[in-house]
Amino acid sequence: MEQNAKKVTSPSKGLLQSEDLYQHILETSVYPREPDFLKELRHVTASHPSRSSPTSATKSLSSLTPNSSPPPPPATPRSSTSSTSTKRVRQEKSERERGRQNTQLLKKEILAQRRAQSERDERSQRERGDEILLTQRREKKIRIFYFVAQEKPVAEGGTPIHTTICSQEAMKKIVEKLPHNILQSEDLYQYILETSVYPRESEFLKELRHVTASHPKAFYSTAPDVGQLMAMLLKLVNAKRTIELGVYTGYSLLLTALTIPEDDKIIAIDVNRETFEIGLPIIKKAGIADKIDFIESEALPVLDQLLQNHENKGSFDFAFVDADKVNYWNYHERLMNLLKVGGLVVYDNTPKRISCDS
């Protein structure tokens, strides 16, 4: 009994093994996303008498010695036993029915809330002129992970996503001001990297990340946690033929090549072969250089050339775009023709407008 009491008084703190860190995650990431109905239900449940605390459970256990036994229940007159049992059964049945009705009402309210939010999203997208995206989502033709926000294509008189070519120093300042991750806590982000991301990172990717870190434009590189998300997405769509616009030193390219099956191919396009060659020795060491078809060029001419061959239309499973933001819409229109049904396109960094003075 004493061993059982110790187990109750020392509950597990969870995977994080830190109550403060767990509370921080709840307050910054979980509670803000919790619907009002669930929040209300959680508060109601917290005050319910059947929700016993570990302390009260411990007291009840520790009060029993090894040689003692629970006191016998009070004797009930035989004449009243049947009526008491019937009342209890009816009461329990009534409580279950009320609980079922409350659950159904809560489900209906949550569904109505989700439906209203979906309608608001569609109305907002329609006002921005994203009719192509709306149509594809309704027909479930193409899944888009990140979609660039823009009123209408540049070719139709729309405003480019950013119209200024910033200096290297100005762009670095802009990147430093952008939120680095959804957690909004550098300490928590570092904890996740060290406990969950770095241990799962391939040795080749780790080596390339360290080599890239000394480059003046290292902040252009794909973050390792983003890379692991990409690897999961590649597996989910069972990607075999992929295309990448913007390569830099090749971290995301190497990750894609390591993830897709042995005989499959990647078309990689970048205007700067010099930075690609920084990572090329590591790519060759990993034994996957044969999977990569690197093209040193602007992306638009290559995409147009691919579309001239009808066999390429609807033949790609996955696309990753981390290139010049001013052409994101133009890339998007062409990639929609190259991706197959059920394909996935991921856009990196899609701010609506950027000012070098920001």
Side-chain angles (χ1 to χ4, degrees):
M1 284 292 182
E2 290 176 0
Q3 291 177 352
N4 290 340
K6 286 180 182 178
K7 288 180 182 178
V8 175
T9 54
S10 304
S12 172
K13 294 180 182 177
L15 181 64
L16 298 175
Q17 297 297 317
S18 166
E19 190 63 36
D20 292 338
L21 180 57
Y22 177 60
Q23 196 61 33
H24 176 82
I25 293 172
L26 285 176
E27 293 172 357
T28 58
S29 298
V30 179
Y31 293 156
R33 294 177 174 84
E34 188 179 31
D36 292 337
F37 301 112
L38 290 176
K39 194 169 297 184
E40 183 180 354
L41 181 58
R42 178 164 54 82
H43 291 315
V44 170
T45 306
S47 61
H48 197 275
S50 65
R51 178 170 173 166
S52 59
S53 65
T55 306
S56 62
T58 306
K59 287 179 181 177
S60 64
L61 283 170
S62 59
S63 64
L64 298 175
T65 62
N67 297 324
S68 65
S69 59
T76 305
R78 291 183 179 180
S79 59
S80 62
T81 302
S82 177
S83 61
T84 304
S85 176
T86 304
K87 283 182 181 179
R88 188 181 298 114
V89 169
R90 287 176 180 172
Q91 186 178 0
E92 289 177 355
K93 185 176 180 181
S94 176
E95 287 177 356
R96 283 198 300 271
E97 181 63 24
R98 281 199 301 272
R100 187 182 65 81
Q101 291 174 355
N102 289 338
T103 302
Q104 287 179 346
L105 286 172
L106 184 62
K107 284 181 178 179
K108 286 180 181 178
E109 289 177 0
I110 291 172
L111 286 172
Q113 194 177 41
R114 287 179 178 172
R115 199 176 296 114
Q117 182 63 45
S118 177
E119 289 173 359
R120 284 196 295 270
D121 290 344
E122 285 200 7
R123 188 161 54 249
S124 174
Q125 289 165 355
R126 193 178 297 108
E127 288 170 358
R128 291 202 311 265
D130 296 341
E131 292 296 341
I132 295 175
L133 176 61
L134 282 170
T135 303
Q136 288 164 349
R137 276 185 176 167
R138 290 194 191 107
E139 295 177 0
K140 297 182 180 178
K141 284 186 175 179
I142 302 291
R143 283 173 285 168
I144 301 175
F145 185 65
Y146 283 152
F147 181 73
V148 56
Q150 187 172 351
E151 287 81 1
K152 53 184 177 178
V154 179
E156 298 177 10
T159 305
I161 300 162
H162 78 96
T163 55
T164 309
I165 299 176
C166 301
S167 67
Q168 181 178 321
E169 285 300 317
M171 184 58 75
K172 189 173 182 179
K173 289 178 182 178
I174 291 168
V175 171
E176 286 173 352
K177 287 182 181 180
L178 292 173
H180 293 289
N181 57 78
I182 195 172
L183 298 173
Q184 299 296 313
S185 167
E186 196 61 39
D187 291 338
L188 183 55
Y189 178 56
Q190 196 61 36
Y191 173 85
I192 291 171
L193 286 176
E194 292 172 359
T195 58
S196 299
V197 178
Y198 294 155
R200 295 179 173 88
E201 188 180 31
S202 157
E203 290 302 318
F204 301 113
L205 289 169
K206 203 182 300 277
E207 183 181 356
L208 181 53
R209 176 164 55 84
H210 290 315
V211 168
T212 305
S214 60
H215 194 271
K217 296 181 181 179
F219 54 90
Y220 285 168
S221 183
T222 302
D225 52 324
V226 175
Q228 290 185 19
L229 172 62
M230 279 182 58
M232 181 184 71
L233 295 172
L234 284 160
K235 291 174 183 176
L236 283 173
V237 298
N238 192 25
K240 295 179 172 59
R241 195 178 186 207
T242 72
I243 186 167
E244 184 163 328
L245 312 185
V247 174
Y248 189 45
T249 59
Y251 186 94
S252 57
L253 183 61
L254 174 58
L255 178 136
T256 303
L258 289 169
T259 305
I260 64 175
E262 191 69 30
D263 299 327
D264 298 321
K265 298 292 183 183
I266 310 165
I267 294 178
I269 308 167
D270 199 293
V271 293
N272 190 349
R273 187 178 182 88
E274 186 178 335
T275 52
F276 168 65
E277 288 181 347
I278 294 173
L280 187 56
I282 300 170
I283 290 172
K284 289 179 177 178
K285 189 195 299 186
I288 43 82
D290 292 341
K291 292 184 179 182
I292 299 167
D293 179 13
F294 180 83
I295 302 172
E296 185 179 10
S297 169
E298 297 281 349
L300 287 176
V302 177
L303 294 175
D304 289 336
Q305 187 176 359
L306 287 170
L307 286 169
Q308 288 176 7
N309 185 347
H310 291 289
E311 292 182 0
N312 289 324
K313 292 184 179 180
S315 66
F316 287 85
D317 303 290
F318 184 89
F320 178 55
V321 183
D322 186 11
D324 54 323
K325 315 308 176 198
V326 70
N327 274 312
Y328 264 28
W329 184 272
N330 295 320
Y331 297 148
H332 175 74
E333 291 176 327
R334 288 158 176 79
L335 289 171
M336 289 303 99
N337 290 315
L338 289 170
L339 283 173
K340 63 171 59 173
V341 173
L344 181 68
V345 54
V346 176
Y347 291 93
D348 182 76
N349 296 338
T350 55
K352 188 172 182 181
R353 288 185 180 86
I354 289 179
S355 169
C356 291
D357 298 326
S358 60

